[in-house]
Amino acid sequence: MTRRQDRIVRALTQAFAPLELQVEDDSHRHHGHAGARPGGETHYSVRIVAEAFTGKSAVARHRLVNEALADEFKSGLHALAIDARSP
């Protein structure tokens, strides 16, 4: 795992105690696109299943994940594909 990937896992685990969590670095797929950097660690996909999302809309779930990762966005995370579900 990349350093940013470790931090994403840690932040989402602390925020949501997920039942399932997968974080993939997709930066290699975005080489040459907006926000891409030579070292990567800019584009990620997240699949998370947590009780915290129960009763929340998809938009609300995405907002919660983005809020939990606000520091990562401030430090170079450019794009995040989110699949957030309740159990």
Side-chain angles (χ1 to χ4, degrees):
M1 272 197 257
T2 63
R3 289 184 7 217
R4 185 179 307 276
Q5 191 171 5
D6 288 337
R7 292 192 308 266
I8 290 171
V9 167
R10 188 170 39 254
L12 295 176
T13 299
Q14 289 174 351
F16 303 110
L19 302 172
E20 180 184 334
L21 178 60
Q22 298 171 356
V23 178
E24 299 291 328
D25 185 347
D26 296 329
S27 300
H28 63 282
R29 295 182 191 167
H30 299 275
H31 179 72
H33 296 161
R37 294 186 179 166
E41 296 192 340
T42 55
H43 295 72
Y44 286 83
S45 296
V46 170
R47 175 175 165 70
I48 183 169
V49 178
E51 292 286 344
F53 301 132
T54 300
K56 299 211 173 19
S57 70
V59 171
R61 293 172 188 191
H62 284 220
R63 283 184 183 145
L64 288 170
V65 170
N66 284 328
E67 288 170 8
L69 297 177
D71 288 343
E72 293 303 321
F73 280 104
K74 290 176 188 172
S75 69
L77 176 59
H78 177 74
L80 186 65
I82 302 170
D83 179 8
R85 300 171 184 248
S86 59

